[in-house]
Amino acid sequence: MTGTHHDVAEFALIDRIRARVANRGDVILGIGDDAALLQVPAGKHLVVATDTLNAGVHFPHDTAPADIGWKSLAVNLSDLAAMAAEPAWCTLSLSLPESDTGWLDGFLDGFLALAAQHRVALVGGDTTRGPLSVCVTVHGFVEPGRALLRTTARAGDDVWVSGTLGDAAAALDHWRLGTAHDEVLRARLDRPTPRVALGLALAGTAHACIDISDGLMADLGHVCRASGVAAELDLEALPASEALRAAYEGEQRHALQAAGGDDYELCFTAPAGSLDDIARLAAQAGTAVTWIGRIVAGEGVQVFDADGQAWLPSKVGYEHFG
Amino acid sequence: MTGTHHDVAEFALIDRIRARVANRGDVILGIGDDAALLQVPAGKHLVVATDTLNAGVHFPHDTAPADIGWKSLAVNLSDLAAMAAEPAWCTLSLSLPESDTGWLDGFLDGFLALAAQHRVALVGGDTTRGPLSVCVTVHGFVEPGRALLRTTARAGDDVWVSGTLGDAAAALDHWRLGTAHDEVLRARLDRPTPRVALGLALAGTAHACIDISDGLMADLGHVCRASGVAAELDLEALPASEALRAAYEGEQRHALQAAGGDDYELCFTAPAGSLDDIARLAAQAGTAVTWIGRIVAGEGVQVFDADGQAWLPSKVGYEHFG
């Protein structure tokens, strides 16, 4: 308990961050004052999301600083992607057990590499002492009426998902067991790809959208509840990476795909008959998408196996709080 | 390490928060989707600040949940006040060791009471498992060119401060020693008053402004460095509360006033000759202000005692990182 919020060592960290930050024309005033001054484009809505990653909860303690930096921004950009928002700015609140410039430099390597990919300017934040924790808030823009919501799925819609499912959960499973390590899977856990271009491309065509952080069934369940509909998924249609197929098969692979979290793929619904449009938009965005089921009247998410039998994973979701 | 970001207990917490949140007409979409959709008034700049409070670092472990809630928003609103920004929205990222609805209800009592005072809408965030930590991001508006900055103090300016100094540091000193407890002082530590109305009133008249989180000398030092000027303060002019005078005298009191943190008063500079204007604006805002010195050419913050001798507190500032 120090009684102050900042100190000499902390200012050195802030200077270190400030020296590496890129700018944008719409940042009137960035890091260095009590707050940032920003210019939202006329006629656009501001889109804001925030997410915290805590050591040992959201990433294994042995995660490289650069990967923590990347992931802390990626999970937030993924929220903007799911809204079809164009990313613009972020703030970073970093709690560190001790002042460690080597750790910070590594963290910034990952954080700023992803920020540069999406032209996101880091405009403010704080560093403070505490258990390792990273809180990021991202800001983006969307034209009024163009945002993709959770409330707008309709019975009859197709359900789609980007990329592949279960890779991050597989890497976590490997890490937990300590038995195997696959670079490709681990990279999917440590460096998720926010599907920003896909989200933007889908605006105006897709109906509802969410990013998959808690697992496909759980997250699509949120969409269904918010929209007052149900979903029927085809288990065999769920996309799997080669790495996942090589490491897991059958029931275990299916559970990872349907219920494993941390993939940060987009799950979205679109009107039946928009198959060609979706394929074209996804190709333009450079992101593979797969049809996995449909929205129907009712409630809940049901998954059907190759025999048309209702299927449940052995464990749906995990709990933070006991 | 759970591998997912949210879980059943966490959704219950989020529902609990959502049920109590007030709305504003400029919140297009609040809590409940991947991100919030917000409408910044045409022609205004967006002002964004973020600050994290960690248990044991920014507040004693025995702090009441309602006070933690209040303070976590107050320190952020104080940043907006120092920019002369009108508060509008906030996000909340809450890390809790365990799901505790009683704790959360208390936290929200304090957080939402202050939010209501300033018509701030809570528009998003997350709750997650981890050591107790509260990350808040606040958003406000300011007309272009009206923000109060750290870079705009000029030689010849008067230096002013709002309220009284040293109360929060005194309460912390009491808490550390475990010898005394004063309700008035402790309330100043636990429930700081963000000087929002004063900041707004000063726009257009004051030159530079900062809020005092690290201590008067340290924070005015930031203004001086940013503006390329120096400050000369009158030790006897620093305002003290009756509670502080009753508990501390002489050197010890002066040190708390000049170097103690956590008061969240505004320190600002204004042109010499604007004394009457400042007094009128402060009265309109309902906040006492006190002249404490002047800005001069040079660098650094010097304090002079009643005999005109240069004075230094025994300890300036505290360090988070060792």
Side-chain angles (χ1 to χ4, degrees):
Chain A
M1 184 70 203
T2 65
T4 61
H5 280 241
H6 308 94
D7 54 55
V8 176
E10 192 193 332
F11 289 120
L13 293 185
I14 292 172
D15 285 344
R16 221 169 169 90
I17 295 171
R18 193 176 177 181
R20 291 184 59 178
V21 163
N23 215 336
R24 291 169 53 110
D26 52 13
V27 178
I28 315 297
L29 187 68
I31 296 171
D33 213 300
D34 291 294
L37 295 178
L38 306 163
Q39 173 76 61
V40 175
K44 296 274 182 95
H45 282 161
L46 178 69
V47 188
V48 178
T50 191
D51 256 317
T52 293
L53 301 191
N54 292 326
V57 179
H58 301 97
F59 53 87
H61 283 288
D62 65 0
T63 306
D67 291 336
I68 298 170
W70 175 287
K71 188 167 182 172
S72 65
L73 182 58
V75 302
N76 278 282
L77 290 178
S78 181
D79 283 324
L80 292 187
M83 301 293 285
E86 179 194 343
W89 316 301
C90 66
T91 60
L92 165 65
S93 191
L94 189 57
S95 294
L96 292 176
E98 54 189 25
S99 176
D100 180 340
T101 52
W103 191 95
L104 181 70
D105 290 344
F107 176 90
L108 290 175
D109 288 345
F111 190 96
L112 296 176
L114 183 60
Q117 279 188 17
H118 295 280
R119 293 193 57 248
V120 171
L122 176 60
V123 298
D126 68 336
T127 71
T128 189
R129 188 165 61 83
L132 179 55
S133 176
V134 190
C135 175
V136 172
T137 303
V138 286
H139 299 79
F141 317 130
V142 71
E143 276 179 40
R146 295 274 290 184
L148 294 173
L149 309 181
R150 296 181 180 183
T151 50
T152 43
R154 297 175 210 168
D157 280 0
D158 288 324
V159 181
W160 298 81
V161 71
S162 66
T164 56
L165 297 172
D167 299 326
L172 194 57
D173 192 50
H174 280 173
W175 176 80
R176 274 205 193 92
L177 299 172
T179 50
H181 181 82
D182 182 290
E183 293 289 343
V184 173
L185 296 177
R186 181 65 193 242
R188 290 272 292 164
L189 176 65
D190 290 340
R191 297 223 169 196
T193 303
R195 302 298 188 184
V196 173
L198 179 64
L200 288 169
L202 293 172
T205 303
H207 279 166
C209 187
I210 194 169
D211 70 322
I212 302 175
S213 55
D214 300 330
L216 172 65
M217 292 179 72
D219 288 313
L220 182 56
H222 300 322
V223 170
C224 287
R225 260 189 305 283
S227 297
V229 296
E232 294 180 350
L233 300 183
D234 178 352
L235 185 61
E236 294 296 335
L238 303 186
S241 67
E242 286 185 32
L244 186 72
R245 286 182 191 279
Y248 293 88
E249 53 189 19
E251 189 60 20
Q252 207 177 357
R253 172 165 71 78
H254 284 144
L256 291 169
Q257 292 175 273
D262 265 324
D263 279 323
Y264 297 97
E265 297 295 346
L266 296 185
C267 176
F268 57 97
T269 82
S274 61
L275 209 114
D276 291 344
D277 287 337
I278 296 296
R280 180 178 44 82
L281 294 168
Q284 283 171 8
T287 307
V289 296
T290 305
W291 178 97
I292 59 169
R294 58 179 59 85
I295 299 295
V296 297
E299 58 183 46
V301 176
Q302 276 203 293
V303 183
F304 296 94
D305 66 16
D307 301 324
Q309 300 298 307
W311 174 93
L312 272 180
S314 44
K315 181 174 165 189
V316 179
Y318 307 84
E319 297 235 354
H320 281 176
F321 298 118
Chain B
M1 184 71 205
T2 65
T4 61
H5 280 244
H6 308 94
D7 54 54
V8 176
E10 190 192 334
F11 290 120
L13 294 185
I14 291 172
D15 285 344
R16 220 168 171 90
I17 295 171
R18 193 177 178 182
R20 292 184 59 179
V21 163
N23 216 335
R24 291 169 51 110
D26 52 13
V27 178
I28 314 299
L29 188 68
I31 296 172
D33 213 299
D34 291 293
L37 295 179
L38 306 163
Q39 173 76 60
V40 175
K44 297 273 182 94
H45 282 161
L46 178 70
V47 189
V48 178
T50 191
D51 256 316
T52 292
L53 301 191
N54 292 327
V57 179
H58 300 97
F59 54 87
H61 283 287
D62 64 359
T63 306
D67 292 334
I68 298 169
W70 177 285
K71 188 166 182 173
S72 66
L73 182 58
V75 303
N76 279 281
L77 290 178
S78 181
D79 282 325
L80 293 188
M83 302 294 285
E86 179 194 343
W89 316 301
C90 66
T91 60
L92 165 65
S93 189
L94 190 57
S95 294
L96 292 175
E98 54 188 25
S99 177
D100 180 340
T101 53
W103 191 96
L104 181 71
D105 289 344
F107 176 90
L108 290 176
D109 288 343
F111 190 95
L112 296 177
L114 184 60
Q117 279 188 17
H118 296 279
R119 294 192 58 245
V120 171
L122 177 60
V123 298
D126 67 336
T127 71
T128 188
R129 190 166 61 82
L132 179 54
S133 176
V134 189
C135 177
V136 173
T137 303
V138 287
H139 298 79
F141 317 130
V142 71
E143 277 179 39
R146 295 274 290 185
L148 294 173
L149 309 181
R150 297 181 179 182
T151 50
T152 43
R154 297 175 211 168
D157 280 0
D158 288 324
V159 181
W160 297 81
V161 71
S162 66
T164 56
L165 297 173
D167 299 327
L172 194 58
D173 192 49
H174 280 172
W175 176 82
R176 273 204 193 94
L177 299 171
T179 51
H181 181 82
D182 182 290
E183 294 289 344
V184 174
L185 296 176
R186 182 65 194 243
R188 290 271 292 163
L189 176 65
D190 289 340
R191 296 224 170 196
T193 304
R195 302 298 188 184
V196 173
L198 179 64
L200 289 169
L202 293 172
T205 303
H207 278 166
C209 189
I210 193 168
D211 71 321
I212 302 176
S213 56
D214 299 331
L216 173 65
M217 292 178 71
D219 288 314
L220 183 55
H222 300 322
V223 171
C224 287
R225 261 190 303 283
S227 296
V229 295
E232 293 180 350
L233 301 182
D234 178 352
L235 185 62
E236 294 297 335
L238 303 186
S241 67
E242 285 184 32
L244 185 70
R245 285 181 193 280
Y248 294 87
E249 51 188 22
E251 188 61 21
Q252 209 177 356
R253 172 164 69 79
H254 284 144
L256 291 168
Q257 292 175 274
D262 265 326
D263 280 322
Y264 297 97
E265 297 296 345
L266 295 185
C267 176
F268 57 98
T269 82
S274 62
L275 208 112
D276 291 346
D277 287 339
I278 296 297
R280 180 179 47 80
L281 295 168
Q284 282 172 9
T287 307
V289 297
T290 305
W291 179 97
I292 59 170
R294 56 179 59 84
I295 298 295
V296 297
E299 59 183 46
V301 176
Q302 275 203 296
V303 183
F304 295 95
D305 66 16
D307 302 325
Q309 300 297 308
W311 173 93
L312 272 180
S314 44
K315 182 173 164 189
V316 179
Y318 308 83
E319 298 236 351
H320 280 175
F321 297 118

